[in-house]
Amino acid sequence: MPDIAIIGESSFLYQKLFAEAGVSYQFVSPDLLGSPFLPRFKVLIIPTGFANPLYSRAIAALQRIHFSIADFVKTGGIVTVFGPMVAEH
């Protein structure tokens, strides 16, 4: 089971960072969020630009599963959220 789920497309920056740290990770398409077939993760990373359609398709999926994210945190999961890159968030 991967330790970390990164919402979005593959990024060399994350790959290098986690390889050096020796932790397992998986990039997860925003379209798959909320799927019962995703493995359990310890950490969810929502990268910069998640709310800006020029950079990401994640905002609609994140809004759809916000209750699941809240439950994930309540049960000990860690969520790291970077800037949305839009003024209204």
Side-chain angles (χ1 to χ4, degrees):
M1 164 188 6
D3 295 320
I4 301 169
I6 306 168
I7 305 307
E9 304 300 320
S10 179
S11 164
F12 180 71
L13 173 67
Y14 287 114
Q15 291 169 333
K16 183 176 180 182
L17 174 70
F18 294 131
E20 289 176 2
V23 296
S24 59
Y25 63 91
Q26 179 177 345
F27 288 95
V28 176
S29 168
D31 299 330
L32 295 177
L33 291 177
S35 168
F37 302 108
L38 279 177
R40 300 290 301 167
F41 300 99
K42 298 175 186 173
V43 178
L44 173 65
I45 295 178
I46 303 172
T48 298
F50 69 88
N52 189 324
L54 296 174
Y55 297 98
S56 174
R57 299 175 291 126
I59 191 65
L62 292 169
Q63 290 171 329
R64 184 181 70 242
I65 66 157
H66 72 276
F67 289 116
S68 297
I69 294 172
D71 290 342
F72 173 73
V73 172
K74 287 177 188 173
T75 59
I78 299 168
V79 177
T80 301
V81 182
F82 293 91
M85 294 186 72
V86 292
E88 56 275 357
H89 285 279

